[in-house]
Amino acid sequence: MSTLALLGGSPAVSKHDDGIFRWPIITPAIEEAVLSCLRAGNMSGIDITRRFEAAYAAWNGRQYALANSSGTAALHCAMYGLGLGPGDEMICPSITYWASAVQALSLGARVIFADVDPDTLCLDPESFAARITPRTKVVMVVHYLSHPADMDAIMSIARKHGIKVIEDVSHAQGGLYRDRMLGTFGDVAAFSLMTGKSFAIGEGGMLLCDDEEIFKRAVRFAHYERQQAVLGKDLDPAIGPIPWGGYKYRIHQLSSAVGVEQLKKYPGEIAEIDRAMRYFTDAIGKLPGIRAHYPRDPGSSKAGWYASVVFYDRDKLGGLSLPRFIEALQAEGVRNVHAGCNRPLHQSKLFYDVDIYGHGQPTARVNWPPASDPLALTGDLPVSAGVNARVITVPWFKHFQPAIIDQYIDAFRKVTAQHQELLAADAQSEVSGIWFKPVKD
Ligand SMILES: *Cc1c(COP(=O)(O)O)cnc(C)c1O
């Protein structure tokens, strides 16, 4: 085998085609839909949005859909929709993007973090169960990095304790758990549809549910232009159609126009991504020190393969640090690879010590007895704390092009086979992870 590129050899990847990574795929149909919306000056209407909502709800088999300006907004509406409020606790996995959690603070609730399962990287049902208190109102379930959470166990714990379930499906649009669409298990689901995600429409978020009350509350919170139609006689004339939350979360219709077209081709696109990513992951998952992050349950999928990772076990590679391993891959010409994933949210002081709204005490303490300490309730989360040393975010191939993907596989094979040569100059630096996922890396 040739010398490692990091040590002066030639790189394993010589063929490049940026088209293999480009996302989303913009077709003439999308351009036409956007231009016709623009030309009609119809950006702030809701007619295209209604069509998008109806199609998205039908695709998922849910009754109510409410498009929002972002996934963050859709999650905020979902929390309010379930009545999350002062004195309540929401349990959320520590490993996720911040918008699964922070909005709860603005509602007077607080977030208690739970650990993730070391294999799924999604909420660990036992850790969730161990953090339930009489104040737990909601559990936030994230299908993290396209991997379905353990819904059977989570739903049975939640139902037993009367806890409402939000699914954050921002990483897994179109994914399945035991042959059933993600986003159809909990009481309400929210999806980010921003450009970096698998289902990419610009900026936007979708809320789905089957319960009319949740839908109405979500509308009342932040969708003033729809209150009249949705709330009807429930609209109090003394208040008028003013959003109770004081937010305006209407989606831009240019995004809805993209969404209508995107949905028509999305199932075909993610089928090709699945083929490409399985081909790649099957191959590198057999190498020493590398293991795939595959769903173990039958009928479960990683739809879209958003921000996919594989596990890294340095002990099988002579203790080689993850940053050094990544450095060697990048020298081989591997693009869009990096160490780690999201940084554990439970390590942010925001959730314990910050007086966000000027109450004169930390926001997470305002509505609770002084002895009730959110930091103590969260406690130690060893899997979350260690996850960034164990995962590699891998290139996200959108097309099945073996001529290119094979070279990437060769690069992984070369670096694992010759890992010993990298040990000498290994600075053993650590990976801290990121608070967000970059749109382009
Ligand atoms: C991207 C993301 C969000 C927020 O969505 P935006 O559309 O960016 O507001 C929420 N949750 C998760 C898990 C995300 O990755």
PDB file of all heavy atoms in Angstrom, residues 280 325-327 329-330 334-339 392-396 408 412 441:
ATOM      1  N   PHE A 280     -21.199   2.877   1.019  1.00  0.00           N
ATOM      2  CA  PHE A 280     -20.032   3.453   1.685  1.00  0.00           C
ATOM      3  C   PHE A 280     -19.890   2.915   3.109  1.00  0.00           C
ATOM      4  O   PHE A 280     -18.820   2.450   3.521  1.00  0.00           O
ATOM      5  CB  PHE A 280     -20.179   4.974   1.687  1.00  0.00           C
ATOM      6  CG  PHE A 280     -19.106   5.712   2.431  1.00  0.00           C
ATOM      7  CD1 PHE A 280     -17.801   5.709   1.978  1.00  0.00           C
ATOM      8  CD2 PHE A 280     -19.409   6.424   3.584  1.00  0.00           C
ATOM      9  CE1 PHE A 280     -16.801   6.400   2.659  1.00  0.00           C
ATOM     10  CE2 PHE A 280     -18.418   7.121   4.267  1.00  0.00           C
ATOM     11  CZ  PHE A 280     -17.119   7.104   3.802  1.00  0.00           C
ATOM     12  N   PHE A 325      -6.571  10.978  13.319  1.00  0.00           N
ATOM     13  CA  PHE A 325      -7.172  10.099  12.317  1.00  0.00           C
ATOM     14  C   PHE A 325      -7.850  10.943  11.217  1.00  0.00           C
ATOM     15  O   PHE A 325      -7.663  10.703  10.022  1.00  0.00           O
ATOM     16  CB  PHE A 325      -8.195   9.182  13.009  1.00  0.00           C
ATOM     17  CG  PHE A 325      -8.821   8.159  12.102  1.00  0.00           C
ATOM     18  CD1 PHE A 325      -8.124   7.028  11.708  1.00  0.00           C
ATOM     19  CD2 PHE A 325     -10.124   8.320  11.648  1.00  0.00           C
ATOM     20  CE1 PHE A 325      -8.712   6.077  10.865  1.00  0.00           C
ATOM     21  CE2 PHE A 325     -10.711   7.376  10.806  1.00  0.00           C
ATOM     22  CZ  PHE A 325      -9.998   6.255  10.417  1.00  0.00           C
ATOM     23  N   ILE A 326      -8.579  11.963  11.636  1.00  0.00           N
ATOM     24  CA  ILE A 326      -9.290  12.830  10.680  1.00  0.00           C
ATOM     25  C   ILE A 326      -8.288  13.605   9.816  1.00  0.00           C
ATOM     26  O   ILE A 326      -8.468  13.761   8.609  1.00  0.00           O
ATOM     27  CB  ILE A 326     -10.220  13.830  11.429  1.00  0.00           C
ATOM     28  CG1 ILE A 326     -11.295  13.066  12.221  1.00  0.00           C
ATOM     29  CG2 ILE A 326     -10.852  14.834  10.462  1.00  0.00           C
ATOM     30  CD1 ILE A 326     -12.288  12.312  11.386  1.00  0.00           C
ATOM     31  N   GLU A 327      -7.248  14.076  10.460  1.00  0.00           N
ATOM     32  CA  GLU A 327      -6.210  14.814   9.734  1.00  0.00           C
ATOM     33  C   GLU A 327      -5.639  13.946   8.598  1.00  0.00           C
ATOM     34  O   GLU A 327      -5.443  14.411   7.469  1.00  0.00           O
ATOM     35  CB  GLU A 327      -5.093  15.165  10.738  1.00  0.00           C
ATOM     36  CG  GLU A 327      -4.141  16.236  10.298  1.00  0.00           C
ATOM     37  CD  GLU A 327      -2.984  16.403  11.311  1.00  0.00           C
ATOM     38  OE1 GLU A 327      -2.911  15.666  12.319  1.00  0.00           O
ATOM     39  OE2 GLU A 327      -2.147  17.281  11.062  1.00  0.00           O
ATOM     40  N   LEU A 329      -7.156  11.412   7.121  1.00  0.00           N
ATOM     41  CA  LEU A 329      -8.186  11.228   6.079  1.00  0.00           C
ATOM     42  C   LEU A 329      -8.257  12.447   5.171  1.00  0.00           C
ATOM     43  O   LEU A 329      -8.357  12.334   3.946  1.00  0.00           O
ATOM     44  CB  LEU A 329      -9.568  11.015   6.720  1.00  0.00           C
ATOM     45  CG  LEU A 329      -9.848   9.658   7.344  1.00  0.00           C
ATOM     46  CD1 LEU A 329     -11.186   9.697   8.080  1.00  0.00           C
ATOM     47  CD2 LEU A 329      -9.873   8.555   6.283  1.00  0.00           C
ATOM     48  N   GLN A 330      -8.229  13.620   5.786  1.00  0.00           N
ATOM     49  CA  GLN A 330      -8.326  14.852   4.986  1.00  0.00           C
ATOM     50  C   GLN A 330      -7.130  14.983   4.051  1.00  0.00           C
ATOM     51  O   GLN A 330      -7.272  15.398   2.908  1.00  0.00           O
ATOM     52  CB  GLN A 330      -8.473  16.073   5.902  1.00  0.00           C
ATOM     53  CG  GLN A 330      -9.866  16.096   6.549  1.00  0.00           C
ATOM     54  CD  GLN A 330     -10.017  17.135   7.645  1.00  0.00           C
ATOM     55  OE1 GLN A 330      -9.036  17.633   8.193  1.00  0.00           O
ATOM     56  NE2 GLN A 330     -11.264  17.460   7.993  1.00  0.00           N
ATOM     57  N   VAL A 334     -10.117  13.228   1.449  1.00  0.00           N
ATOM     58  CA  VAL A 334     -11.505  13.005   1.879  1.00  0.00           C
ATOM     59  C   VAL A 334     -12.125  14.351   2.262  1.00  0.00           C
ATOM     60  O   VAL A 334     -11.607  15.058   3.119  1.00  0.00           O
ATOM     61  CB  VAL A 334     -11.570  12.020   3.075  1.00  0.00           C
ATOM     62  CG1 VAL A 334     -12.986  11.924   3.615  1.00  0.00           C
ATOM     63  CG2 VAL A 334     -11.068  10.653   2.645  1.00  0.00           C
ATOM     64  N   ARG A 335     -13.202  14.686   1.586  1.00  0.00           N
ATOM     65  CA  ARG A 335     -13.891  15.948   1.871  1.00  0.00           C
ATOM     66  C   ARG A 335     -15.072  15.704   2.798  1.00  0.00           C
ATOM     67  O   ARG A 335     -15.603  14.601   2.866  1.00  0.00           O
ATOM     68  CB  ARG A 335     -14.407  16.558   0.564  1.00  0.00           C
ATOM     69  CG  ARG A 335     -13.275  16.935  -0.361  1.00  0.00           C
ATOM     70  CD  ARG A 335     -13.789  17.576  -1.644  1.00  0.00           C
ATOM     71  NE  ARG A 335     -12.645  17.937  -2.466  1.00  0.00           N
ATOM     72  CZ  ARG A 335     -12.756  18.443  -3.694  1.00  0.00           C
ATOM     73  NH1 ARG A 335     -13.938  18.653  -4.235  1.00  0.00           N
ATOM     74  NH2 ARG A 335     -11.666  18.767  -4.369  1.00  0.00           N
ATOM     75  N   ASN A 336     -15.475  16.772   3.464  1.00  0.00           N
ATOM     76  CA  ASN A 336     -16.683  16.725   4.301  1.00  0.00           C
ATOM     77  C   ASN A 336     -16.634  15.637   5.361  1.00  0.00           C
ATOM     78  O   ASN A 336     -17.610  14.913   5.580  1.00  0.00           O
ATOM     79  CB  ASN A 336     -17.929  16.555   3.423  1.00  0.00           C
ATOM     80  CG  ASN A 336     -18.070  17.691   2.436  1.00  0.00           C
ATOM     81  OD1 ASN A 336     -18.036  18.852   2.827  1.00  0.00           O
ATOM     82  ND2 ASN A 336     -18.182  17.384   1.153  1.00  0.00           N
ATOM     83  N   VAL A 337     -15.495  15.534   6.005  1.00  0.00           N
ATOM     84  CA  VAL A 337     -15.366  14.607   7.129  1.00  0.00           C
ATOM     85  C   VAL A 337     -14.898  15.428   8.320  1.00  0.00           C
ATOM     86  O   VAL A 337     -14.078  16.328   8.168  1.00  0.00           O
ATOM     87  CB  VAL A 337     -14.367  13.463   6.800  1.00  0.00           C
ATOM     88  CG1 VAL A 337     -12.929  13.961   6.688  1.00  0.00           C
ATOM     89  CG2 VAL A 337     -14.453  12.328   7.807  1.00  0.00           C
ATOM     90  N   HIS A 338     -15.475  15.188   9.497  1.00  0.00           N
ATOM     91  CA  HIS A 338     -14.926  15.829  10.692  1.00  0.00           C
ATOM     92  C   HIS A 338     -15.183  15.015  11.950  1.00  0.00           C
ATOM     93  O   HIS A 338     -16.035  14.128  11.972  1.00  0.00           O
ATOM     94  CB  HIS A 338     -15.381  17.290  10.845  1.00  0.00           C
ATOM     95  CG  HIS A 338     -16.845  17.480  10.986  1.00  0.00           C
ATOM     96  ND1 HIS A 338     -17.635  17.950   9.965  1.00  0.00           N
ATOM     97  CD2 HIS A 338     -17.668  17.287  12.025  1.00  0.00           C
ATOM     98  CE1 HIS A 338     -18.879  18.029  10.371  1.00  0.00           C
ATOM     99  NE2 HIS A 338     -18.937  17.629  11.614  1.00  0.00           N
ATOM    100  N   ALA A 339     -14.421  15.347  12.978  1.00  0.00           N
ATOM    101  CA  ALA A 339     -14.520  14.625  14.242  1.00  0.00           C
ATOM    102  C   ALA A 339     -15.731  15.122  15.017  1.00  0.00           C
ATOM    103  O   ALA A 339     -16.003  16.316  15.054  1.00  0.00           O
ATOM    104  CB  ALA A 339     -13.251  14.858  15.063  1.00  0.00           C
ATOM    105  N   ILE A 392     -17.398   9.967  14.094  1.00  0.00           N
ATOM    106  CA  ILE A 392     -16.870  10.693  12.935  1.00  0.00           C
ATOM    107  C   ILE A 392     -18.052  11.073  12.057  1.00  0.00           C
ATOM    108  O   ILE A 392     -18.842  10.196  11.679  1.00  0.00           O
ATOM    109  CB  ILE A 392     -15.936   9.782  12.103  1.00  0.00           C
ATOM    110  CG1 ILE A 392     -14.739   9.326  12.936  1.00  0.00           C
ATOM    111  CG2 ILE A 392     -15.487  10.483  10.819  1.00  0.00           C
ATOM    112  CD1 ILE A 392     -13.897   8.260  12.226  1.00  0.00           C
ATOM    113  N   THR A 393     -18.203  12.355  11.755  1.00  0.00           N
ATOM    114  CA  THR A 393     -19.213  12.756  10.777  1.00  0.00           C
ATOM    115  C   THR A 393     -18.632  12.474   9.395  1.00  0.00           C
ATOM    116  O   THR A 393     -17.556  12.974   9.050  1.00  0.00           O
ATOM    117  CB  THR A 393     -19.566  14.247  10.931  1.00  0.00           C
ATOM    118  OG1 THR A 393     -20.119  14.435  12.239  1.00  0.00           O
ATOM    119  CG2 THR A 393     -20.611  14.676   9.902  1.00  0.00           C
ATOM    120  N   VAL A 394     -19.334  11.642   8.634  1.00  0.00           N
ATOM    121  CA  VAL A 394     -18.783  11.152   7.364  1.00  0.00           C
ATOM    122  C   VAL A 394     -19.341  11.948   6.183  1.00  0.00           C
ATOM    123  O   VAL A 394     -20.364  12.620   6.309  1.00  0.00           O
ATOM    124  CB  VAL A 394     -19.061   9.642   7.180  1.00  0.00           C
ATOM    125  CG1 VAL A 394     -18.309   8.833   8.233  1.00  0.00           C
ATOM    126  CG2 VAL A 394     -20.545   9.323   7.210  1.00  0.00           C
ATOM    127  N   PRO A 395     -18.673  11.860   5.025  1.00  0.00           N
ATOM    128  CA  PRO A 395     -19.173  12.553   3.842  1.00  0.00           C
ATOM    129  C   PRO A 395     -20.589  12.097   3.504  1.00  0.00           C
ATOM    130  O   PRO A 395     -20.932  10.926   3.710  1.00  0.00           O
ATOM    131  CB  PRO A 395     -18.197  12.124   2.741  1.00  0.00           C
ATOM    132  CG  PRO A 395     -16.973  11.639   3.447  1.00  0.00           C
ATOM    133  CD  PRO A 395     -17.418  11.129   4.771  1.00  0.00           C
ATOM    134  N   TRP A 396     -21.391  13.033   2.995  1.00  0.00           N
ATOM    135  CA  TRP A 396     -22.815  12.775   2.735  1.00  0.00           C
ATOM    136  C   TRP A 396     -23.008  12.718   1.216  1.00  0.00           C
ATOM    137  O   TRP A 396     -23.147  13.741   0.558  1.00  0.00           O
ATOM    138  CB  TRP A 396     -23.624  13.906   3.376  1.00  0.00           C
ATOM    139  CG  TRP A 396     -25.096  13.765   3.346  1.00  0.00           C
ATOM    140  CD1 TRP A 396     -25.834  12.665   3.042  1.00  0.00           C
ATOM    141  CD2 TRP A 396     -26.047  14.798   3.672  1.00  0.00           C
ATOM    142  NE1 TRP A 396     -27.175  12.943   3.139  1.00  0.00           N
ATOM    143  CE2 TRP A 396     -27.332  14.230   3.530  1.00  0.00           C
ATOM    144  CE3 TRP A 396     -25.930  16.140   4.073  1.00  0.00           C
ATOM    145  CZ2 TRP A 396     -28.493  14.980   3.766  1.00  0.00           C
ATOM    146  CZ3 TRP A 396     -27.087  16.864   4.309  1.00  0.00           C
ATOM    147  CH2 TRP A 396     -28.344  16.292   4.168  1.00  0.00           C
ATOM    148  N   TYR A 408     -13.055   7.055  -1.659  1.00  0.00           N
ATOM    149  CA  TYR A 408     -13.225   7.437  -0.254  1.00  0.00           C
ATOM    150  C   TYR A 408     -13.054   6.213   0.655  1.00  0.00           C
ATOM    151  O   TYR A 408     -12.446   6.292   1.730  1.00  0.00           O
ATOM    152  CB  TYR A 408     -14.602   8.089  -0.048  1.00  0.00           C
ATOM    153  CG  TYR A 408     -14.629   9.554  -0.403  1.00  0.00           C
ATOM    154  CD1 TYR A 408     -14.565   9.994  -1.727  1.00  0.00           C
ATOM    155  CD2 TYR A 408     -14.694  10.520   0.597  1.00  0.00           C
ATOM    156  CE1 TYR A 408     -14.578  11.337  -2.049  1.00  0.00           C
ATOM    157  CE2 TYR A 408     -14.709  11.872   0.284  1.00  0.00           C
ATOM    158  CZ  TYR A 408     -14.648  12.277  -1.029  1.00  0.00           C
ATOM    159  OH  TYR A 408     -14.655  13.616  -1.330  1.00  0.00           O
ATOM    160  N   PHE A 412     -10.162   5.475   3.738  1.00  0.00           N
ATOM    161  CA  PHE A 412     -10.385   4.939   5.091  1.00  0.00           C
ATOM    162  C   PHE A 412      -9.572   3.656   5.295  1.00  0.00           C
ATOM    163  O   PHE A 412      -8.988   3.444   6.364  1.00  0.00           O
ATOM    164  CB  PHE A 412     -11.880   4.649   5.314  1.00  0.00           C
ATOM    165  CG  PHE A 412     -12.676   5.836   5.807  1.00  0.00           C
ATOM    166  CD1 PHE A 412     -13.085   6.831   4.930  1.00  0.00           C
ATOM    167  CD2 PHE A 412     -13.023   5.953   7.153  1.00  0.00           C
ATOM    168  CE1 PHE A 412     -13.824   7.928   5.383  1.00  0.00           C
ATOM    169  CE2 PHE A 412     -13.758   7.043   7.611  1.00  0.00           C
ATOM    170  CZ  PHE A 412     -14.162   8.026   6.721  1.00  0.00           C
ATOM    171  N   ASP A 441     -19.638  22.177   5.356  1.00  0.00           N
ATOM    172  CA  ASP A 441     -18.395  22.085   6.102  1.00  0.00           C
ATOM    173  C   ASP A 441     -17.214  22.037   5.171  1.00  0.00           C
ATOM    174  O   ASP A 441     -17.329  22.208   3.994  1.00  0.00           O
ATOM    175  CB  ASP A 441     -18.364  20.865   7.046  1.00  0.00           C
ATOM    176  CG  ASP A 441     -19.396  19.817   6.742  1.00  0.00           C
ATOM    177  OD1 ASP A 441     -20.194  20.039   5.813  1.00  0.00           O
ATOM    178  OD2 ASP A 441     -19.415  18.799   7.417  1.00  0.00           O
TER     179      ASP A 441
END
